[in-house]
Structure formats: C-alpha cells, structure tokens
Amino acid sequence: MNPVSISEQMMYNTVRLETLTGSSGTGFFFSYEFDNTSVPVLITNKHVVNDNPNETMVFLLHLADQSGNDSGENYRVELSTQWIFHPTHDICFTFVAPLFGEVKRRTGKDVFYRTNSESLIRNRESLLELSALESVVMVGYPNGLWDKNHNYPIFRKGYTANHPGYDFNEKSVGLVDMACFPGSSGSPIYILDENGFCDKIGNVYLGQKRLIFLGILFAGPVMNINGDIVVVDIPTQKKAITNAQTMINLGYYAKAYELLKFKSMIKLLLDTGSR
C-alpha cells in the first residue's frame, strides 16, 4: 500500500509490542525536532514494558521498497533497549534511529513508518477551543488482535467523555467513551476529521482535514462483582481481567502535551552523547 489519507498513514504509525512472556500492548512512533534534526522515538506505557527500564520487546516493522513505498515485507525485531520513564505519568520512550540503522544494515531496506509530530499536540488553552463532546479515534491492538497478514492495527471510534480542555480528576488526564481492552495500552487517541468538521460555535469547515493528537491510553475503570468501580491499568494480557471484573467502556488517557516533557531529557542525552 502507498498510504494517502490520514487514516492510512496511521496504519504505519503503531507497532504491536509483545514481551518475551507473551503479554502485549501498543507502541507508536513520535519525532522530536531539534534545529534541523529529527529524533524518532517509540512511545508506550510504563506498564506495557512491565515497569522495567531494560525490558526486551518483540514487534514487526514494515520495510520500504527501492521507491520508498511499503514493500509489503515485515521484519521481526527483538529489541533489548533502555526505556526512559516519564517523571509523573504512565508513559515511556526509547530511541529508534539506532534500530532503524541496524535493520537497514541487515536487510538492505529502510523501515517504512509514519511518525507523529509535535505540531499535532495542542496546549491546554487550545484544547479549551474544542467542544465537550468530540468524536475520537484510537489505533492499536485490543486483546492483542491485529491484521497478521499485513501487520496492520485496529481502529476504534468513540467520544470524549469529559471536555478535552479540562483534567479528569488527575493532572493531565482525560477520559474517553470507548471500548478499551487488554492490548490497547499505549494506543494513541486522536480527533480525526478527513472530510470537514464543525467547531463548537457552529462554523463549518467543508472538506477540510483536522488531526489533533489528544493522548495515550493507559488505564480504565472496571466494575467488580460487588458493583464497585475501581480504576486499573489497561492490562497487557487477557487473563488479567477475571469474570469478577468487567470493563465499563471508558478509558483514561495521558494528555499528549505530557510528551513534551521528554524533549529536555532527550536534548540532555544528545548533548552528553548518551543516546
């Protein structure tokens, strides 16, 4: 496939992460800009890597053909790396440029991927310009499911369950009304309009595209056998949720602007040569 639409581009932004013990989650590519240098990283939740900064993860990468398009080939990676943890939220990242270089050396082909950029992130003030009820899209691997033949993720749609401009009980946390299952941890959540949209004061933007990166799924409330509702990390294995606990189709996400806190950490690592 040669991805054209925004949603088609998203098919090459995520990877299905799996530990050596078989639990799975979602990761996605993100790039930080420093002057004229772009630094690509892989983002996921801390709990997807078992809160282990040295966890080994297994995943597949798309390979590009000589024209720079998707070749239809995939390359299996078993990555032993350092995961760098966010100071307050359930997010972590690792550098992927060295990995991409090694894949190129071994296969003779570049990795075919699409990355999120800082320009897709809105600050708190800009989020207040949105409406309380916005349609959202999540891309990932619920229950570890994916298109095995093509190495593609699964799209899910839902709605914001609280206003994106306000925190839901905790700092930099939002809530979505969406089915969130084991394996969805680490999935990016967007407001995506590919064929026009309407803003909250009624202005209509016919045919215009809109893409806003809202955040990263990390947890969800469940109802136990007694009817009590508690919040748990979205598990990475299906067996983590028993019959005594039922998901109630809500998900907590860390707001995307929290990823910007990684930028100073990355610059320090680049300056010291620790990358």
Side-chain angles (χ1 to χ4, degrees), residues 80-91:
S80 297
T81 187
Q82 179 187 12
W83 297 93
I84 300 171
F85 287 3
H86 191 281
T88 56
H89 287 69
D90 187 2
I91 321 169

Side-chain angles (χ1 to χ4, degrees), residues 5-275:
S5 67
I6 297 174
S7 55
E8 286 180 339
Q9 304 279 343
M10 288 177 172
M11 296 166 67
Y12 296 91
N13 174 244
T14 63
V15 294
R16 179 182 180 273
L17 295 173
E18 187 173 330
T19 67
L20 297 180
T21 58
S23 62
S24 66
T26 301
F28 63 93
F29 298 113
F30 189 88
S31 291
Y32 293 91
E33 300 300 323
F34 297 90
D35 297 325
N36 295 320
T37 302
S38 180
V39 179
V41 301
L42 180 63
I43 305 282
T44 190
N45 295 139
K46 297 175 186 177
H47 77 265
V48 168
V49 300
N50 295 322
D51 295 297
N52 177 8
N54 299 304
E55 186 71 46
T56 297
M57 303 301 289
V58 178
F59 51 96
L60 294 172
L61 291 171
H62 298 276
L63 297 179
D65 60 21
Q66 292 183 345
S67 300
N69 297 318
D70 176 22
S71 68
E73 297 178 75
N74 297 295
Y75 187 77
R76 183 181 184 273
V77 171
E78 185 173 308
L79 180 63
S80 297
T81 187
Q82 179 187 12
W83 297 93
I84 300 171
F85 287 3
H86 191 281
T88 56
H89 287 69
D90 187 2
I91 321 169
C92 63
F93 79 89
T94 191
F95 294 107
V96 290
L99 169 64
F100 290 170
E102 180 62 18
V103 171
K104 172 78 170 182
R105 187 187 70 81
R106 294 188 183 190
T107 67
K109 298 180 179 181
D110 291 319
V111 174
F112 187 85
Y113 74 107
R114 294 294 183 264
T115 182
N116 288 344
S117 67
E118 296 175 49
S119 64
L120 298 180
I121 297 176
R122 292 207 180 178
N123 59 28
R124 292 179 178 86
E125 292 71 25
S126 295
L127 290 173
L128 288 171
E129 298 173 3
L130 299 172
S131 182
L133 186 65
E134 297 277 0
S135 177
V136 293
V137 173
M138 181 170 69
V139 189
Y141 308 88
N143 276 347
L145 296 173
W146 86 110
D147 180 346
K148 298 179 182 179
N149 293 328
H150 304 100
N151 186 26
Y152 290 149
I154 291 173
F155 290 79
R156 307 209 74 153
K157 292 201 71 173
Y159 295 91
T160 53
N162 82 305
H163 196 298
Y166 294 91
D167 294 340
F168 186 76
N169 295 335
E170 298 179 44
K171 184 178 179 182
S172 302
V173 170
L175 187 71
V176 288
D177 181 0
M178 185 182 294
C180 303
F181 289 91
S184 295
S185 290
S187 296
I189 298 173
Y190 308 92
I191 293 174
L192 169 62
D193 298 293
E194 293 188 288
N195 191 29
F197 62 96
C198 178
D199 65 23
K200 71 177 182 180
I201 60 174
N203 295 317
V204 178
Y205 301 85
L206 291 175
Q208 293 194 33
K209 303 181 188 302
R210 179 174 66 159
L211 179 63
I212 300 170
F213 179 26
L214 279 186
I216 307 98
L217 184 76
F218 71 91
V222 299
M223 184 170 62
N224 64 27
I225 196 170
N226 297 317
D228 298 322
I229 295 177
V230 295
V231 177
V232 297
D233 290 339
I234 299 294
T236 54
Q237 298 185 59
K238 286 184 280 188
K239 66 181 182 181
I241 295 181
T242 69
N243 291 330
Q245 291 184 332
T246 304
M247 305 296 292
I248 62 172
N249 291 346
L250 292 170
Y252 290 79
Y253 65 91
K255 294 190 175 179
Y257 52 70
E258 285 295 328
L259 292 181
L260 300 179
K261 291 184 179 177
F262 283 140
K263 191 164 186 177
S264 59
M265 301 165 68
I266 292 173
K267 187 176 188 308
L268 179 60
L269 292 170
L270 293 175
D271 291 343
T272 59
S274 301
R275 174 184 167 187

